[in-house]
Amino acid sequence: MKRKITIIGSGFSALSAACYLAKSGHEVLVFEKNETIGGRARQLKKDGFTFDMGPSWYWMPDVFERFFADFGKKTSDYYELIKLSPAYRVYFGVNEFIAIADNLDEIVATFEAIEKGSGKILREFMAEAQSNYDIAIKDLVYRPGVSPLELVTIETTKKIGQFFSNISRDVRNKFKNERLIQILEFPVLFLGAKPSDTPSFYSFMNYADFGLGTWHPKTGMFDVVRAMESLATELGVQFFVNSNIEKIIVENKTAKAIVVNGERIESDLVLSGADYHHSETLLDKEHRMYSEQYWESRVFAPSSLLFYVGFNKKIENISHHALFFDTDFYQHAKDIYDEPQWPAEPLFYANFPSSTDITAAPEGMESGFFLVPLAPGINDSESLREEYFDKIIQRFETITQQNIKENIIFKQSFCKNDFVEQYNSYKGNAYGMANTLLQTAFLRPKLKSKKVRNLYFTGQLTVPGPGVPPALISGKLVSNLIDKQFLKV
């Protein structure tokens, strides 16, 4: 039987769920508060420059292929992928960097040249990481987080020790060179927690990095948003932008409608792909599953200070993705998680999409995206933003040995206050809730409300967790639960 389903938000998880639910035959309406769809993956166009405002790393291409295959499609039906070579560079000092190649053999050779004997160890480490990837990404993450028994399989019981150790300890037991250690610890930062708080099992992120490589949709990550919108539209999904959701109406403990820009929209089922904490504030207090104390006690992934910058010349000595680890990696992590404050000497990330995509900047110019991870809930002001922009640009100029500040013709910042205002993000977090041991799978906020019938959630604060591929999976998981409910009726 066809049901009317209203979806709040239009990020990757909401788009994914919309496609699956429409495929099941439901009438699906998606409401987005901002003027364009995509959630945090929106696009910024200004003065001839184009920027992905949020996600910029295309990892785990198999997850994207699996999503489109569910609809009899391929990613190539919608967008072209370019494998980046090198995948990225990690800078440690003045024109001193390690380039990560686009294949494991070259990466092994790089490790061996830096630390004798580490090449063989890396191959062994990667074999284990691939095994974990096969278990996690091909199986475990496609389970809905309903029961702890979902984690109990023949394969996971063989790896039980990895759930009680951590990435940092595991890597340090195998490698001695500090730079190599930091490169191996870097991928789990996408999971939103310190390597020392991330179970060893999550080494599957290293396989996503070194094993599967780093890709780039030809004209940016927004290509994926367009692809999913196109697929959803083909399936009959309707989209409404500039549609602020003010309340979820509950009658007789059942979600009955949403209020959008003052108008009541009736619904057989409500699914929120918006920030989970914010979504619950749209409910009267008695209908919320989680208290403010609960949210306060969770470990959240960082917020970010972002700059979208247009330069009137091409930038030298750089790659598409670049990590600047020339300051204390562990002090910055401490400033995010242990003693939240603005870091004195922040690590930062720079992305130059126009080095791959000629449409990202006018001819002869460059588009640059700079990111500094920050503690969620931190104080945010224009003066602090400018202070930190000056810090990172000065270091960038020194490390890459060139002057670029005088070549800036466009700059726009985005930080904690913007995450709150534009995405209703709890404490302005950028990536969701961290995947620590006590915030994994069934220990994360639930996809289905236990207090309100016909109310569901999806996205980075629920299962499986932060990141674009997990968001696609989250949409599939919640749509499966909804389909099962309707089959019982």
Side-chain angles (χ1 to χ4, degrees):
M1 180 179 175
K2 185 175 185 178
R3 302 304 210 288
K4 181 178 179 181
I5 297 174
T6 53
I7 298 180
I8 302 172
S10 65
F12 282 118
S13 59
L15 290 173
S16 171
C19 290
Y20 284 110
L21 292 168
K23 181 188 175 188
S24 294
H26 303 297
E27 178 187 2
V28 180
L29 288 71
V30 176
F31 295 89
E32 167 58 52
K33 74 181 286 286
N34 292 308
E35 60 186 26
T36 62
I37 70 163
R40 297 168 200 237
R42 290 183 301 154
Q43 193 177 59
L44 171 65
K45 285 181 173 285
K46 182 80 171 181
D47 298 341
F49 295 92
T50 302
F51 306 88
D52 286 315
M53 294 189 69
S56 59
W57 293 78
Y58 193 104
W59 275 7
M60 304 183 188
D62 53 317
V63 175
F64 294 86
E65 291 293 350
R66 184 167 173 177
F67 168 78
F68 285 102
D70 284 341
F71 302 91
K73 305 285 187 178
K74 302 185 295 291
T75 58
S76 58
D77 293 332
Y78 297 97
Y79 55 89
E80 180 183 339
L81 280 176
I82 299 166
K83 193 173 189 182
L84 297 182
S85 180
Y88 54 91
R89 287 180 178 179
V90 185
Y91 287 80
F92 296 97
V94 177
N95 211 17
E96 187 179 357
F97 61 85
I98 296 174
I100 301 302
D102 65 351
N103 64 89
L104 183 57
D105 287 343
E106 287 188 54
I107 297 171
V108 166
T110 296
F111 270 55
E112 184 64 26
I114 294 170
E115 179 183 322
K116 188 171 177 57
S118 66
K120 180 176 182 293
I121 295 171
L122 179 61
R123 284 198 186 277
E124 294 169 353
F125 178 78
M126 289 302 297
E128 184 71 20
Q130 181 174 359
S131 171
N132 289 352
Y133 189 91
D134 290 342
I135 294 168
I137 305 303
K138 296 180 181 179
D139 183 16
L140 292 185
V141 295
Y142 285 91
R143 302 185 182 196
V146 173
S147 164
L149 295 179
E150 292 173 5
L151 297 179
V152 182
T153 68
I154 294 173
E155 290 80 10
T156 57
T157 55
K158 295 174 184 176
K159 296 176 179 283
I160 190 68
Q162 292 190 35
F163 288 93
F164 297 98
S165 185
N166 63 68
I167 289 288
S168 184
R169 183 184 306 147
D170 201 31
V171 168
R172 288 177 179 278
N173 283 340
K174 299 177 186 296
F175 302 90
K176 303 305 175 190
N177 183 276
E178 194 63 36
R179 293 180 176 182
L180 299 183
I181 288 169
Q182 289 181 17
I183 289 171
L184 288 168
E185 289 181 334
F186 149 69
V188 301
L189 298 179
F190 285 105
L191 301 173
K194 292 191 300 184
S196 58
D197 290 334
T198 304
S200 298
F201 183 73
Y202 284 98
S203 67
F204 63 72
M205 291 297 293
N206 294 105
Y207 178 71
D209 180 3
F210 291 177
L212 297 175
T214 301
W215 301 75
H216 184 71
K218 187 175 182 180
T219 60
M221 288 292 288
F222 199 69
D223 284 359
V224 186
V225 174
R226 288 195 196 95
M228 296 180 75
E229 178 188 23
S230 179
L231 174 60
T233 302
E234 291 170 33
L235 293 165
V237 176
Q238 300 176 65
F239 289 93
F240 303 87
V241 296
N242 296 312
S243 299
N244 186 46
I245 290 76
E246 296 154 352
K247 192 170 182 62
I248 299 172
I249 302 295
V250 177
E251 297 171 357
N252 298 321
K253 297 184 179 181
T254 303
K256 291 291 186 179
I258 56 175
V259 177
V260 182
N261 295 337
E263 179 186 358
R264 176 173 170 138
I265 308 291
E266 301 293 332
S267 179
D268 293 313
L269 184 142
V270 175
L271 167 61
S272 182
D275 177 274
Y276 204 125
H277 170 269
H278 170 72
S279 301
E280 287 220 307
T281 68
L282 301 175
L283 296 161
D284 291 333
K285 200 167 185 178
E286 66 268 25
H287 300 312
R288 301 173 191 171
M289 284 196 295
Y290 302 102
S291 67
E292 287 299 318
Q293 290 77 17
Y294 170 85
W295 294 113
E296 186 64 36
S297 70
R298 300 299 89 185
V299 178
F300 275 81
S303 184
S304 294
L305 169 60
L306 301 162
F307 295 100
Y308 312 101
V309 188
F311 299 94
N312 64 6
K313 71 171 186 178
K314 301 301 289 184
I315 307 300
E316 301 174 350
N317 305 326
I318 203 66
S319 62
H320 184 117
H321 295 294
L323 303 166
F324 289 80
F325 286 2
D326 55 306
T327 58
D328 192 330
F329 184 101
Y330 304 102
Q331 181 59 49
H332 192 154
K334 183 178 179 181
D335 292 339
I336 294 173
Y337 296 103
D338 302 332
E339 299 172 7
Q341 59 185 305
W342 283 77
E345 296 294 337
L347 281 71
F348 66 97
Y349 157 64
N351 172 7
F352 296 92
S354 48
S355 64
T356 303
D357 170 18
I358 61 172
T359 70
E363 186 177 355
M365 301 187 187
E366 201 90 80
S367 58
F369 170 113
F370 297 83
L371 181 153
V372 178
L374 295 173
I378 203 165
N379 180 45
D380 174 20
S381 68
E382 286 300 323
S383 61
L384 279 167
R385 296 184 190 194
E386 285 305 306
E387 176 187 341
Y388 276 76
F389 183 74
D390 288 341
K391 281 189 177 190
I392 64 174
I393 289 300
Q394 183 178 3
R395 278 175 41 211
F396 181 93
E397 289 183 326
T398 299
I399 291 167
T400 63
Q401 297 187 301
Q402 63 191 310
N403 295 321
I404 62 168
K405 191 170 184 180
E406 62 188 24
N407 299 102
I408 293 172
I409 57 174
F410 164 77
K411 174 167 70 74
Q412 183 169 316
S413 66
F414 198 97
C415 197
K416 189 267 289 184
N417 291 347
D418 301 301
F419 280 101
V420 172
E421 189 274 325
Q422 297 192 33
Y423 307 134
N424 295 310
S425 172
Y426 182 72
K427 290 187 175 182
N429 80 82
Y431 306 106
M433 187 184 291
N435 259 338
T436 61
L437 179 61
L438 297 179
Q439 294 182 175
T440 294
F442 68 97
L443 296 172
R444 298 180 70 81
K446 302 301 181 186
L447 292 165
K448 180 180 181 180
S449 173
K450 291 183 177 180
K451 289 192 172 184
V452 179
R453 287 186 294 273
N454 297 348
L455 176 61
Y456 289 79
F457 304 87
T458 187
Q460 59 189 5
L461 297 192
T462 182
V463 292
V468 178
L472 300 185
I473 295 167
S474 187
K476 180 174 185 174
L477 293 176
V478 75
S479 62
N480 286 343
L481 287 182
I482 291 169
D483 282 341
K484 286 179 182 178
Q485 172 183 318
F486 286 144
L487 284 173
K488 293 178 182 176
V489 176

